[in-house]
Amino acid sequence: NMFRLDGWKNLLSGLGGRRDKSRYNRPSPVTRLSDIELAALYYGDPIAADAVDFLPEDMTKAGFEVDGDNGELEKAFNKLHGPEKFKEALAYTELYGGAIILMDIEGAGTYDQPYDPAKGKKVRALRVYPRTRIILNLMKQVALPESPYFEDYENFVIRKIDGSTFTAHASRCLVFKSPIRVDPTMAGFLEWERYWGLPAVLRYYDAVAAYGT
């Protein structure tokens, strides 16, 4: 009976339809948006954009401090544009569900090799990649319980701007996942949703859409 729209009264008030306020007290499926729709929402709706940017801006506006640092670490981090890179990764996580920051370490070999601190410690650059550029179907989860990457990925396959790909070992990456976690054994979710979680923007999409209307 919730979905009956058999009169002008219901049509105008929303009772029985999507605008029925009584339905807000009942669980309903999450509104799914494609990556293109998520991008369009961010670039085209100032309310949604503010919601995506608020937490990253608030978390990074005061900078970072490390106990025992005499100022050298903070100086080096700022030289790498660290706060801006973290803000970018956090915004991608809010919008798309996840991101990674790849550390480009001088003298530490190629990206696909495990990071060995004995070979290099100076970070030359921080490179941010949204979840949309990580190709999970070309990656393989580690099945050995003894591995530190058990049921996770040891290598990330990343799409470059020209469409080709490269591999980065997880020890060189800072991985950002959505706070809206998904049980990886639960049916009804996509592969990337099981790993990264759901984009936070989906949690308030319906409210933003109603407010915009």
Side-chain angles (χ1 to χ4, degrees):
N1 292 332
M2 286 178 56
F3 300 99
R4 291 184 59 181
L5 283 171
D6 55 0
W8 283 109
K9 184 176 179 181
N10 282 354
L11 182 63
L12 296 176
S13 68
L15 294 177
R18 184 174 177 80
R19 294 187 296 114
D20 187 345
K21 298 299 185 291
S22 67
R23 296 181 61 201
Y24 282 100
N25 293 324
R26 297 179 174 87
S28 58
V30 176
T31 300
R32 293 304 219 292
L33 298 176
S34 68
D35 294 340
I36 295 177
E37 289 173 319
L38 288 170
L41 183 66
Y42 178 76
Y43 295 121
D45 190 319
I47 300 174
D50 286 344
V52 168
D53 290 334
F54 175 77
L55 282 178
E57 289 179 355
D58 190 59
M59 293 171 67
T60 57
K61 65 183 179 182
F64 300 87
E65 293 182 359
V66 179
D67 291 341
D69 178 30
N70 60 3
E72 292 300 315
L73 284 176
E74 183 179 5
K75 182 179 178 180
F77 187 67
N78 289 333
K79 188 176 180 180
L80 292 169
H81 306 287
E84 292 84 357
K85 297 294 184 179
F86 271 65
K87 177 182 173 181
E88 182 181 358
L90 289 165
Y92 278 140
T93 302
E94 285 284 306
L95 181 61
Y96 294 124
I100 66 170
I101 295 181
L102 173 61
M103 295 180 288
D104 182 356
I105 305 171
E106 184 176 357
T110 57
Y111 289 155
D112 59 332
Q113 299 175 344
Y115 170 55
D116 182 357
K119 294 182 179 180
K121 295 182 178 180
K122 182 179 179 181
V123 179
R124 295 182 298 194
L126 300 173
R127 310 188 188 281
V128 182
Y129 298 97
R131 183 269 303 165
T132 52
R133 292 179 63 180
I134 313 300
I135 311 176
L136 290 186
N137 60 5
L138 296 182
M139 297 158 49
K140 185 176 181 180
Q141 284 189 329
V142 177
L144 293 175
E146 298 80 9
S147 171
Y149 301 102
F150 175 54
E151 293 190 332
D152 203 341
Y153 295 104
E154 187 172 0
N155 296 286
F156 289 94
V157 178
I158 304 170
R159 180 183 292 108
K160 295 193 289 187
I161 293 177
D162 63 5
S164 61
T165 62
F166 71 97
T167 300
H169 194 269
S171 60
R172 300 171 181 266
C173 300
L174 305 175
V175 181
F176 294 73
K177 293 184 179 182
S178 170
I180 306 178
R181 307 303 305 141
V182 171
D183 180 354
T185 65
M186 185 178 293
F189 291 97
L190 302 176
E191 182 182 6
W192 68 264
E193 293 173 336
R194 297 172 189 273
Y195 181 73
W196 298 103
L198 294 176
V201 70
L202 297 184
R203 180 169 280 176
Y204 47 79
Y205 170 74
D206 283 338
V208 170
Y211 183 81
T213 301

